[in-house]
């Protein structure tokens, strides 16, 4: 079985340098040596990139991140490709916002025409937003018959939370049940229901109104019964003296949590438990809707459930700011009963509506849902075949054009390997294919390309990942990455033990025993790896 290596965590990059030739070169000899026009252009581009990065740091907020060890200076995009300042074409296998392709001409023309004609709010009667709302709602099961338009997924989730809490207001119910690893937006209300934020760097922990269900771990076979897990969290809430929750919110396919595909029947069990206590069930489709699964138009349909509220965003406008809250009329009536108007300056403006309408037309005209099914199946089959050759791939999961590769220190230990995942991600980028990492441990490579992704592009993606694992993740690099990842797992287990001790009031001695057991398991993995190394050397 082949093995692999780690990503740069900081400092110098251990990967070999690869300069790609994209044009014919002319050699120039000077007193200082020999160079080519292309090399001179590369030096100039690197200097320009450095200046732009410095300018960005000076004038933008300091807690904005950049992708990849070496940032990309993008200048244009088309279809499934992004082009940088040096005219390098990157195959984009991760940007799910332009669902029908970067710079899609039909979407761009629709928005442009709206901007040239009229762009105003929905306090006026206009046929465009009524036609779009009608077409959008026709894609949902009966009962989901009302829509509010917003600008972003964060805004839509914030509004859904307001609606659920207004419904529960009479009984003073404000608590919300969420999934571990979930991310629902950047507003204050959304951060408070997003463990992906409040349990990570800079987070302040969960508020008492938020109850976190464990993420179903399909890689390790844990927490797979949604109904049972829901009952546990509701019972813990009752014991803590909290009121019944007003809402349960969950991504239909969990993206930031690590490209997690819920087990069959999972949401049926959860929805049943939550509805028995009067909670509103909210499906967050921001990252997985609009035919991405291939089998269905909406992610929640893969679970055989009908939510009370559905959140749409990101790909709904193919990059134009647009989102929506789709819900049952009964909930909209209760939300409006207090008398407060809901108004959104740009939600439902002409340009946004034009973008949304054009996206639906392109998906239908180009049969992109079927494309997602066929191409996605091919990618998953190819990745699963690849995974058999590499001990650091613990799981390949997905549906349609929504896939994840979970990296581990070994198949026997299944310890998280974020350094390895990051290394592979950056190696793919150097090979002109863009993927990214995610998950609570950042050890999952996520694949969510535009749904116009072709079979040929799928083969390029898979062959590039294989090349990154075989040619870049070499025997001299892998041990350092695995050592870093073992350290990460030890630190994670210590912190989790301390957190549990505070939560369940373990004695100091009990906490030490739990921590010792966890550390022993991790060290066993380290010893197994050391034994393998000694035998292979």
């Amino acid at each position: 079985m082949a093995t692999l290596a780690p990503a740069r965590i900081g400092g110098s990059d251990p990967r070999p340098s690869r300069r790609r030739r994209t044009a014919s070169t002319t050699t120039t000899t000077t007193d200082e040596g020999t160079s080519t026009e292309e090399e001179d252009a590369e030096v100039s581009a690197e200097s320009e990139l450095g200046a732009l990065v410095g300018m960005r740091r000076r004038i933008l907020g300091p807690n904005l991140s950049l992708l990849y060890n070496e940032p990309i200076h993008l200048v244009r995009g088309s279809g499934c490709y992004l082009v940088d300042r040096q005219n390098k074409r990157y195959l984009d296998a991760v940007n799910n916002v332009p669902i029908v392709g970067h710079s899609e001409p039909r979407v761009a023309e629709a928005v442009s025409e709206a901007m040239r004609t009229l762009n105003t709010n929905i306090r006026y009667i206009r046929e465009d937003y009524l036609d779009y709302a009608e077409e959008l709602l026709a894609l949902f099961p009966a009962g989901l018959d009302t829509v509010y338009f917003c600008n972003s997924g964060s805004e839509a989730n914030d509004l859904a939370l307001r609606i659920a809490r207004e419904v529960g207001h009479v009984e003073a119910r404000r608590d919300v049940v969420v999934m571990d690893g979930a991310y629902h937006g950047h507003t204050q209300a959304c951060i408070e229901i997003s463990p992906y934020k409040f349990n990570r760097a800079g987070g302040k922990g969960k508020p008492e109104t938020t109850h976190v269900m464990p993420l179903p771990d399909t890689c390790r076979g844990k927490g797979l019964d949604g109904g049972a897990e829901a009952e546990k969290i509701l019972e813990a809430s009752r014991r803590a003296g909290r009121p019944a929750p007003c809402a349960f919110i969950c991504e239909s396919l969990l993206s930031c949590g690590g490209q997690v595909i819920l087990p069959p029947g999972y949401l049926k069990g959860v929805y049943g438990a939550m509805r028995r206590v009067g909670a509103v069930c909210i499906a967050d489709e921001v990252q997985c809707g609009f035919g991405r699964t291939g089998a269905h138009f909406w992610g929640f349909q893969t679970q055989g459930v009908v939510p009370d509220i559905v959140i749409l965003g990101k790909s709904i406008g193919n990059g134009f700011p647009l989102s929506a809250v789709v819900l049952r009329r009964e909930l909209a009536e209760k939300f409006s009963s207090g008398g407060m108007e809901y108004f959104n300056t740009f939600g439902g403006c002409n340009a946004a509506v034009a973008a949304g309408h054009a996206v639906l037309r392109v998906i239908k005209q180009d049969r992109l849902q079927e494309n997602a099914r066929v191409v996605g199946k091919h990618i998953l089959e190819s990745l699963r075949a690849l995974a058999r050759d590499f001990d650091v791939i613990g799981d390949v999961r997905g549906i349609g054009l929504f896939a994840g590769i979970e990296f581990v220190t070994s198949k026997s230990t299944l310890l998280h390997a974020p350094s390895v995942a990051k290394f592979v991600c950056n190696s793919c980028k150097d090979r002109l294919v863009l993927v990214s990492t995610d998950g609570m441990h950042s050890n999952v490579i996520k694949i969510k390309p535009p749904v116009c992704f072709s079979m040929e592009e799928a083969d390029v993606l898979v062959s590039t990942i294989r090349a990154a694992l075989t040619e870049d993740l070499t025997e001299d690099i892998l041990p350092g990455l695995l050592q870093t990842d073992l350290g990460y797992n030890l630190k994670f287990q210590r912190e989790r033990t301390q957190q549990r001790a505070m939560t369940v009031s373990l004695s100091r001695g009990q906490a030490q025993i739990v921590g010792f057991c966890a550390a022993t398991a991790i060290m066993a993995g380290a010893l197994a790896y050391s034994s393998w190394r000694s035998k292979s050397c």
Side-chain angles (χ1 to χ4, degrees):
M1 177 175 287
T3 53
L4 318 182
R8 187 178 68 175
I9 305 305
S12 60
D13 193 334
R15 289 168 292 129
S17 174
R18 259 192 315 275
R19 290 183 180 269
R20 302 193 178 277
R21 299 292 182 243
T22 57
S24 59
T25 59
T26 301
T27 302
T28 303
T29 303
T30 67
D31 292 339
E32 298 176 350
T34 302
S35 65
T36 67
E37 288 182 359
E38 183 182 322
E39 288 171 344
D40 291 341
E42 273 195 45
V43 170
S44 176
E46 288 170 4
S47 176
E48 180 184 18
L49 177 62
L52 291 172
V53 170
M55 182 179 181
R56 172 189 161 108
R57 287 173 178 160
R58 288 193 306 274
I59 65 177
L60 297 187
N63 55 345
L64 297 169
S65 64
L66 281 168
L67 291 171
Y68 309 109
N69 291 337
E70 298 172 0
I72 307 173
H73 180 186
L74 292 179
V75 294
R76 65 184 181 277
S78 178
C80 295
Y81 289 89
L82 292 167
V83 182
D84 75 1
R85 186 72 174 81
Q86 295 172 266
N87 211 36
K88 291 179 184 175
R89 294 175 76 240
Y90 294 86
L91 177 61
D92 184 1
V94 71
N95 280 297
N96 60 333
V97 176
I99 190 164
V100 296
H102 291 281
S103 310
E104 212 297 324
R106 287 163 287 185
V107 178
E109 179 55 33
V111 172
S112 177
E113 178 62 26
M115 292 294 287
R116 287 194 299 265
T117 306
L118 176 67
N119 195 36
T120 188
N121 61 64
I122 60 172
R123 279 179 168 157
Y124 303 95
I125 293 296
R126 301 192 336 254
E127 292 180 5
D128 62 335
Y129 64 74
L130 293 173
D131 289 343
Y132 175 54
E134 192 171 54
E135 184 171 344
L136 184 65
L137 292 172
L139 296 167
F140 285 89
L144 291 168
D145 54 6
T146 302
V147 61
Y148 289 101
F149 292 120
C150 311
N151 301 309
S152 69
S154 295
E155 208 176 61
N157 272 315
D158 192 280
L159 176 58
L161 198 56
R162 281 180 58 193
I163 293 169
R165 284 176 168 163
E166 184 64 31
V167 171
H169 173 70
V170 176
E171 298 174 347
R173 296 167 57 173
R174 295 182 54 80
D175 289 22
V176 179
V177 177
V178 304
M179 301 299 299
D180 198 8
Y183 173 65
H184 296 293
H186 63 78
T187 69
Q188 183 61 41
C190 289
I191 292 292
E192 290 176 356
I193 60 168
S194 297
Y196 185 81
K197 288 295 184 181
F198 65 61
N199 274 341
R200 285 158 63 100
K204 295 178 172 58
K206 75 177 186 69
E208 64 178 1
T209 53
T210 298
H211 309 276
V212 182
M213 279 180 56
L215 196 67
D217 189 341
T218 53
C219 180
R220 296 162 188 82
K222 298 178 180 178
L224 306 183
D225 186 333
E229 296 298 335
E231 293 293 355
K232 288 178 189 177
I233 206 74
L234 291 172
E235 178 57 28
S237 172
R238 284 190 289 267
R239 287 199 307 268
R242 299 299 305 173
C246 69
F248 166 72
I249 183 169
C250 178
E251 292 176 276
S252 304
L253 310 174
L254 292 98
S255 180
C256 290
Q259 299 295 96
V260 176
I261 308 301
L262 295 172
Y266 187 90
L267 282 185
K268 274 191 176 180
V270 179
Y271 277 26
M274 294 299 163
R275 283 172 169 158
R276 283 193 289 274
V277 298
V280 171
C281 294
I282 305 171
D284 185 338
E285 292 272 334
V286 168
Q287 303 236 39
C288 60
F290 294 91
R292 179 166 293 279
T293 70
H296 300 280
F297 203 78
W298 306 117
F300 65 79
Q301 293 172 313
T302 66
Q303 288 282 308
V305 296
V306 179
D308 302 302
I309 301 176
V310 181
I311 309 304
L312 311 177
K314 290 191 185 297
S315 53
I316 186 174
N318 209 57
F320 195 92
L322 173 63
S323 63
V325 176
V326 175
L327 70 166
R328 293 189 286 112
R329 189 72 188 177
E330 171 195 350
L331 298 179
E333 296 287 358
K334 288 181 179 178
F335 178 54
S336 66
S337 63
M340 181 183 292
E341 177 195 15
Y342 175 74
F343 176 66
N344 188 311
T345 303
F346 299 109
C349 70
N350 300 68
V353 166
H357 224 155
V359 166
L360 294 183
R361 286 196 298 271
V362 174
I363 291 173
K364 184 177 180 179
Q365 290 169 2
D366 294 358
R367 303 184 71 245
L368 294 183
Q369 181 180 335
E370 174 64 8
N371 186 70
R373 185 188 69 81
V374 174
V375 178
K377 181 174 182 288
H378 176 63
I379 289 174
L380 284 167
E381 289 174 349
S382 301
L383 289 175
R384 284 168 179 152
L386 178 150
R388 290 194 287 269
D389 297 333
F390 298 97
D391 196 39
V392 293
I393 298 180
D395 191 25
V396 171
R397 51 184 177 258
I399 181 172
L401 286 173
F402 184 100
I405 309 170
E406 180 162 354
F407 284 87
V408 295
T409 56
S410 71
K411 282 183 167 71
S412 60
T413 64
L414 294 180
L415 297 176
H416 313 292
S419 300
V420 176
K422 183 179 179 184
F423 180 90
V424 174
C425 176
N426 278 283
S427 291
C428 287
K429 175 258 182 183
D430 287 349
R431 292 175 175 274
L432 306 184
V433 172
L434 302 183
V435 291
S436 186
T437 58
D438 224 325
M440 288 299 283
H441 302 280
S442 300
N443 67 318
V444 178
I445 281 187
K446 58 183 180 182
I447 296 168
K448 298 179 296 183
V451 294
C452 52
F453 214 64
S454 69
M455 281 290 204
E456 293 75 19
E457 289 158 349
D459 288 338
V460 169
L461 167 66
V462 175
S463 65
T464 299
I465 293 172
R466 180 176 285 278
L469 293 170
T470 55
E471 298 174 24
D472 301 338
L473 193 54
T474 54
E475 293 294 338
D476 60 324
I477 291 175
L478 179 58
L481 294 179
L482 292 179
Q483 184 176 20
T484 299
D485 286 333
L486 287 170
Y488 166 82
N489 281 274
L490 280 168
K491 180 182 178 183
F492 169 71
Q493 289 292 351
R494 281 198 302 269
E495 291 174 349
R496 188 166 70 169
T497 299
Q498 293 169 357
Q499 186 179 46
R500 285 178 175 173
M502 290 186 292
T503 302
V504 300
S505 301
L506 291 178
S507 69
R508 182 178 178 183
Q510 288 172 320
Q512 289 175 337
I513 291 171
V514 173
F516 174 76
C517 292
T520 300
I522 292 173
M523 290 308 298
L527 288 171
Y529 169 70
S530 297
S531 175
W532 169 82
R533 284 293 299 165
S534 64
K535 291 177 182 177
S536 63
C537 292

